[in-house]
Amino acid sequence: MSSYKVHYFPGYGKAEPIRMLLAHAKIEFEDVHYTPETLPAAKASGNLEFGQMPVLEKDGKFYSQSQAILRFLGKELGYYPEDTYHGYLVDSTLDFINDLTNARFKANNHPEPETKKQLLADFYEKVLSNFFLAIQKRLEANSSPDKIVGDKVTIADIALAAIAYSFFLNENNLSKTEYQEVLNKFPKVLDYFNGLGELLKEYLAARAPSPW
Ligand SMILES: N[C@@H](CCC(=O)N[C@@H](CS)C(=O)NCC(=O)O)C(=O)O
């Protein structure tokens, strides 16, 4: 039996889709956490190929880059479509999630307070609304209304569950009110996220609280 370790910080962040995928596939894994104090030694170990985390350790071999890890595990564990069109739908969903998180990060980290305020307002009014609208359209166009691509759970559902339960529906997230005000305008998307929450119920109940 293979052994799995997920190396990351204690928060959800970029490791959460990987953890959720392993949990959904009922694969036991060890969460190895780092702090700013232990990070330099991890970098010096040579196990972080690109100097960052998350890193998946499978049977002693180290894998880097969260999206590549997700696709790698998705293909190994049956969460990645066989045909190229459905593969495209999965990949474009992952890219779209990245665009959203990058836009939020850019707005929230702007050094100038007035610009930050404006960028965050734009984020919630435009970027986040467009995100939910596009997800709603994909759900409506899909063969199964409770999956984002096809009829089986894919890594795209898992990645959406990770962002939903790290941010929009995370009780400990500081911006949950702002996220939920927008999400409530998209009841089909909310239903879909609730369904994903059911699929990951045990994992979500057991994980440690984190704001992100
Ligand atoms: N493209 C990489 C980005 C990874 C990344 O940004 N990791 C951050 C944490 S979310 C990190 O390791 N920061 C510590 C550092 O760069 O020293 C991925 O998706 O895995």
Side-chain angles (χ1 to χ4, degrees):
M1 204 173 74
S2 288
S3 79
Y4 295 83
K5 292 181 188 176
V6 178
H7 297 260
Y8 197 60
F9 306 98
Y12 305 146
K14 289 181 186 292
E16 200 60 1
I18 300 166
R19 298 183 185 120
M20 283 184 169
L21 177 59
L22 291 170
H24 189 266
K26 303 211 180 307
I27 288 183
E28 274 184 34
F29 63 95
E30 186 185 334
D31 242 334
V32 187
H33 290 166
Y34 295 82
T35 61
E37 291 71 39
T38 58
L39 185 59
K43 289 190 185 220
S45 72
N47 292 331
L48 316 185
E49 188 181 358
F50 305 116
Q52 291 188 311
M53 286 186 269
V55 159
L56 171 75
E57 183 181 349
K58 183 190 168 199
D59 300 329
K61 189 170 161 65
F62 291 82
Y63 301 83
S64 292
Q65 290 292 350
S66 57
Q67 305 261 50
I69 295 168
L70 203 57
R71 266 189 283 271
F72 167 72
L73 287 176
K75 286 173 188 173
E76 287 210 330
L77 303 174
Y79 290 77
Y80 194 87
E82 299 272 325
D83 72 286
T84 52
Y85 178 64
H86 286 92
Y88 151 77
L89 290 175
V90 164
D91 287 348
S92 54
T93 306
L94 298 188
D95 287 345
F96 195 38
I97 295 171
N98 250 2
D99 291 347
L100 184 81
T101 52
N102 286 343
R104 176 65 169 68
F105 185 84
K106 195 175 157 194
N108 203 42
N109 287 287
H110 199 284
E112 210 277 301
E114 268 313 301
T115 313
K116 173 176 169 174
K117 205 172 142 189
Q118 188 54 50
L119 286 175
L120 279 174
D122 280 357
F123 173 81
Y124 291 111
E125 277 165 33
K126 296 180 191 154
V127 182
L128 188 62
S129 294
N130 286 341
F131 179 83
F132 290 142
L133 182 62
I135 295 299
Q136 180 177 295
K137 284 185 181 168
R138 283 227 168 160
L139 289 169
E140 286 167 350
N142 192 39
S143 47
S144 281
D146 60 344
K147 307 281 181 308
I148 196 74
V149 179
D151 304 325
K152 281 172 41 181
V153 179
T154 63
I155 55 170
D157 294 303
I158 298 288
L160 283 164
I163 191 177
Y165 289 92
S166 299
F167 298 100
F168 321 141
L169 298 169
N170 175 4
E171 282 310 307
N172 298 300
N173 185 273
L174 296 177
S175 306
K176 64 173 190 287
T177 311
E178 288 90 331
Y179 283 124
Q180 282 171 22
E181 262 174 29
V182 186
L183 180 55
N184 287 338
K185 295 180 190 156
F186 298 88
K188 284 184 186 169
V189 180
L190 181 57
D191 279 357
Y192 165 68
F193 286 153
N194 286 333
L196 296 178
E198 279 299 309
L199 289 179
L200 290 157
K201 202 171 174 177
E202 274 177 44
Y203 173 78
L204 289 171
R207 71 180 182 169
S210 168
W212 51 270

